[in-house]
Amino acid sequence: MELLELFLKSIFIDNMVFATFLGMCSYLAVSKKVSTAVGLGAAVIFVMLVTVPLNYLLDQYILRPGALVWLGEDYGDVDLSFLTFILFIATIATMVQLVEMIVEKFAPALYNSLGIFLPLIAVNCAILGGSLFMQQKEFNNITEATVYGVGSGIGWFLAIVAIGAIREKIRYSNVPPVFRGLGMTFILTGLMAIGFMSFGGMLTGGDEAPKKEVVENVTPAEAVEVNEVATDSTALETVTDSLTQTVQE
Amino acid sequence: MSTKRTDSNGYTIIFSIVMVVVVGSLLAFFANFTKDLRVKNDQVKAQIDILSAIGVAADRSNATEMFAQYIKEQKVITGAEVSDDDKAYLIDVKKEMDAAKKGNTQRLPLFVAEKDGKTLYIMPVRGNGLWDAIWGYIALNDDLKSINGVYFDHKAETPGLGANITESFFTEDFKGEYIYDASGNFKGIEISKSNGDPNNKDKSDNQVDAISGATITGNGVGAMINSGIKSYLPYFETLKK
Amino acid sequence: MANANVEKEPLFSKKNLGLVKDPLTDNNPVTVQVLGICSALAITAELKASVIMALSVVFVLGAGNVLVSLLRNAIPSSIRIIAQLVVVAALVIIVDLTLKAYVPDLAKKLSVFIGLIITNCIIMGRFEAFALGNGPWKSFLDGVGNAAGYGLILIIVGFFRELLGSGKLFGYPVFGDPVNKTGLYATGYENNGFMLLAPMALITLGLIIGFQRSRNKNLIETN
């Protein structure tokens, strides 16, 4: 059950886009379409699945203070944590390269549809961020770390697809010129992030605390309740319509 | 363009090796150079936090001095054994709790302080807030029945809501609160929304007024205090005799 | 490349100064080029954190640009990206260690985001677009300019978030004491705690972009 809770938490509550805005640059600059968002998101999930557990092992057995104990007792004092950034990014760059080669060989159709995104992913903040947050959270075993990694990837995927869908639709709305495009995207992402905060009520807290509903002091701009991230167009249209109407006021 | 010397495999390999060696040594040197300062920073932080539980405001420049001045004894309780340990304040509570989950005996650090002629007992506690871990120190008066002061900190609570457990308007409420009820049963502290005592005048209700909008964090604080103090109760019984 | 007879450009020529000034306005890496947002927004709840982050990026991009520029003819083309990554990562590690040693409380809050400077698109972007093809002094100016443009946005967002969200600037209360209701709070003003939450950083940024485009109509996107 804890794993399921961790999984859901990393998708909806610690969502890498809406809680910490990771990985948005390349996406925002590159595309306004849902299809590219889906491709990019899929690639991210895959890379997270591969890199987070690997970096977890690196952290446990090499980087942590005292991690080198398995080499011998006298190595227990060694603290290599300062090498974290460099080793993590090296792992990520290498794994992305490997994944690219494997996908090209065994699934050329997938390789073609992912196109340029796969190499771009190595420098995507979301991937490095996922590993760094994993290190900070100090998981007990590799399963938890992997669940967190995959969950974060899925959360990122959902967020990017949702933003892409709204961006596609909003081109047909009357956005004030100064906000057209980038400005509106940021405001919208902010509003969606507020919506995602409502997921905080899913959590249970404290060891002996009863499961209560959290009513945080939040008044969203309009009561847009995002119960699931709806990827079907009708739900998104409703959201878009209500949002654009507000903007026009 | 003619093939540059820099494109040959041999050159690439040599370049890579040189790069790794240079960067590695540079970073190792720098890490070593700053290590003492970084380690000291962590130690000083622990000292500042412990002192703040008994209402002594120290900063990084005088923390070690004041720690030595106020904290008279540091003990480690391991099951039935009690030993003195002047590094007790460096014990990693999270590690101890994880070890206890695996069946090992948890090492419980205890700090005996003296302030204004009174003996105070300070212990670390740790628990879960809404988003991530919360922790702190609880200081008990010499009667071992009421709280002298508290210090709380958190990893990722919501700013303005759960994060306010660190603020004095919350921590002050704990001063003088009894952890036992009138019949002498251990009650701990309940962070309550409905205690009807928002200014916390009643110190024997075993309750502290909650922070609005921070229910789960508050519940986490209550659970943390209770389970934390419970582990020390057997030792306190021996002290009371 | 350059002919030995070409006059050396003065250090602070108009063109060189332009390298520093442009990113501060018309070519701002965050609001115009849309780079480097990642590691920025989550930490701007406090002005102090924003300033430290801005300075860190100035150091990493400035020094990084110079290093890459100096090494540009020596880096083997097959490991170009890796070499750049190593340079950035090493510089970021130095910044991280320095922060942990000298401002430990802030370093704890910023920890992950300092690491994310490595993947900050602005840095790799400038390496590729400028440092690999220009001399060290120009690269230095370009680096500092772009980092300053990025830092400027961070500081503006941090300014509004801390001021409106907690009534403080740099940790010093500006409007009075919210608990005891002195100063501005006596009139009934309350801190807008919402500004401290993550989404407001995005919305503030959107508003800044709107404001910038209202002053420079060239930046307005045509659908």
Side-chain angles (χ1 to χ4, degrees), chain C:
Chain C
M1 263 175 51
N3 187 320
N5 288 333
V6 166
E7 225 178 82
K8 251 198 132 173
E9 217 177 314
L11 278 184
F12 287 106
S13 73
K14 202 139 185 242
K15 222 161 107 189
N16 282 346
L17 280 178
L19 288 174
V20 180
K21 274 175 33 197
D22 279 342
L24 282 170
T25 50
D26 286 345
N27 209 14
N28 188 293
V30 179
T31 58
V32 179
Q33 299 178 47
V34 198
L35 299 173
I37 317 163
C38 309
S39 45
L41 300 176
I43 50 106
T44 47
E46 273 179 69
L47 192 52
K48 192 168 174 196
S50 309
V51 169
I52 299 279
M53 182 59 117
L55 290 174
S56 308
V57 174
V58 168
F59 170 73
V60 173
L61 189 48
N65 252 12
V66 170
L67 282 172
V68 170
S69 173
L70 287 173
L71 290 173
R72 70 187 185 279
N73 291 321
I75 301 180
S77 47
S78 52
I79 58 168
R80 193 178 82 244
I81 302 279
I82 296 182
Q84 289 172 357
L85 275 176
V86 170
V87 169
V88 183
L91 287 171
V92 166
I93 293 179
I94 292 180
V95 168
D96 186 49
L97 289 174
T98 313
L99 289 180
K100 282 203 173 99
Y102 295 103
V103 272
D105 298 317
L106 205 54
K108 274 218 174 69
K109 284 188 212 155
L110 290 179
S111 56
V112 176
F113 297 102
I114 295 287
L116 289 177
I117 295 180
I118 299 177
T119 47
N120 188 322
C121 332
I122 299 180
I123 302 193
M124 293 291 278
R126 291 330 287 170
F127 282 179
E128 289 275 314
F130 202 91
L132 279 182
N134 287 282
W137 175 245
K138 277 190 157 51
S139 302
F140 175 70
L141 289 178
D142 176 86
V144 170
N146 274 285
Y150 164 87
L152 181 65
I153 299 297
L154 241 69
I155 290 177
I156 295 179
V157 174
F159 175 80
F160 282 112
R161 282 182 79 194
E162 192 179 7
L163 188 65
L164 296 175
S166 50
K168 298 184 191 164
L169 282 179
F170 270 107
Y172 295 109
V174 167
F175 289 147
D177 186 350
V179 180
N180 295 326
K181 305 269 182 251
T182 64
L184 192 56
Y185 299 100
T187 63
Y189 172 81
E190 290 280 352
N191 282 332
N192 182 357
F194 204 41
M195 286 296 280
L196 294 176
L197 297 177
M200 288 315 286
L202 276 173
I203 296 184
T204 311
L205 192 54
L207 293 173
I208 292 177
I209 293 178
F211 178 71
Q212 187 189 26
R213 291 184 181 185
S214 67
R215 303 191 55 217
N216 181 349
K217 303 272 194 267
N218 293 332
L219 295 172
I220 295 182
E221 287 176 44
T222 45
N223 255 346

Side-chain angles (χ1 to χ4, degrees), chain A residues 21 25 82 125 136 180 182, chain C residues 38 111 121 198 202 213 221:
Chain A
F21 315 124
C25 332
F82 67 95
C125 339
Q136 233 195 16
R180 197 182 295 146
L182 197 60
Chain C
C38 309
S111 56
C121 332
L202 276 173
R213 291 184 181 185
E221 287 176 44

Side-chain angles (χ1 to χ4, degrees), chain B residues 18-29:
Chain B
V18 170
M19 182 171 72
V20 166
V21 169
V22 167
V23 169
S25 341
L26 182 69
L27 292 179
F29 166 74

Side-chain angles (χ1 to χ4, degrees), chain A residues 3-239:
Chain A
L3 282 182
L4 181 62
E5 198 180 305
L6 177 62
F7 185 61
L8 291 175
K9 194 173 165 199
S10 44
I11 297 181
F12 293 111
I13 299 167
D14 290 337
N15 188 293
M16 284 208 291
V17 173
F18 293 130
T20 46
F21 315 124
L22 296 183
M24 288 209 309
C25 332
S26 33
Y27 168 68
L28 282 179
V30 159
S31 97
K32 295 184 168 88
K33 290 169 59 185
V34 176
S35 47
T36 33
V38 170
L40 194 50
V44 164
I45 295 179
F46 196 35
V47 175
M48 289 288 278
L49 172 63
V50 168
T51 54
V52 169
L54 218 71
N55 279 332
Y56 176 81
L57 290 174
L58 249 165
D59 188 47
Q60 282 289 95
Y61 293 112
I62 300 188
L63 292 172
R64 261 179 200 285
L68 287 177
V69 178
W70 53 275
L71 265 183
E73 269 305 309
D74 17 309
Y75 288 106
D77 284 337
V78 178
D79 178 6
L80 289 179
S81 54
F82 67 95
L83 287 177
T84 304
F85 296 153
I86 230 175
L87 284 184
F88 275 10
I89 196 87
T91 320
I92 292 173
T94 320
M95 287 322 296
V96 169
Q97 189 78 336
L98 261 173
V99 163
E100 211 185 317
M101 294 190 327
I102 294 179
V103 168
E104 189 178 3
K105 185 114 200 254
F106 292 108
L110 179 62
Y111 183 75
N112 283 327
S113 58
L114 284 181
I116 190 176
F117 290 126
L118 218 33
L120 261 185
I121 291 222
V123 284
N124 186 324
C125 339
I127 309 287
L128 183 59
S131 289
L132 287 177
F133 279 122
M134 174 278 297
Q135 184 194 43
Q136 233 195 16
K137 285 182 186 284
E138 297 181 355
F139 290 114
N140 296 321
N141 54 53
I142 197 174
T143 322
E144 285 184 12
T146 315
V147 165
Y148 173 76
V150 174
S152 301
I154 295 180
W156 195 86
F157 170 84
L158 289 174
I160 291 292
V161 167
I163 298 177
I166 294 189
R167 280 182 99 196
E168 256 191 23
K169 298 281 181 176
I170 209 165
R171 294 180 60 193
Y172 305 113
S173 310
N174 270 339
V175 178
V178 294
F179 287 113
R180 197 182 295 146
L182 197 60
M184 186 43 62
T185 308
F186 277 127
I187 296 180
L188 279 176
T189 313
L191 291 172
M192 288 171 75
I194 295 174
F196 261 69
M197 287 178 67
S198 63
F199 286 118
M202 276 187 349
L203 278 184
T204 62
D207 297 300
E208 289 142 46
K211 297 180 211 279
K212 283 202 208 142
E213 279 231 281
V214 158
V215 179
E216 305 272 35
N217 262 352
V218 163
T219 39
E222 58 280 312
V224 175
E225 228 159 320
V226 185
N227 283 323
E228 300 149 354
V229 180
T231 43
D232 67 293
S233 46
T234 40
L236 276 170
E237 263 163 0
T238 333
V239 170

Side-chain angles (χ1 to χ4, degrees), chain B residues 173-174 177 195 197-203 207-209:
Chain B
D173 284 350
F174 287 85
E177 278 287 338
N195 66 346
D197 181 24
N199 293 324
N200 239 78
K201 294 268 168 26
D202 185 356
K203 294 294 178 185
Q207 289 180 343
V208 162
D209 198 39

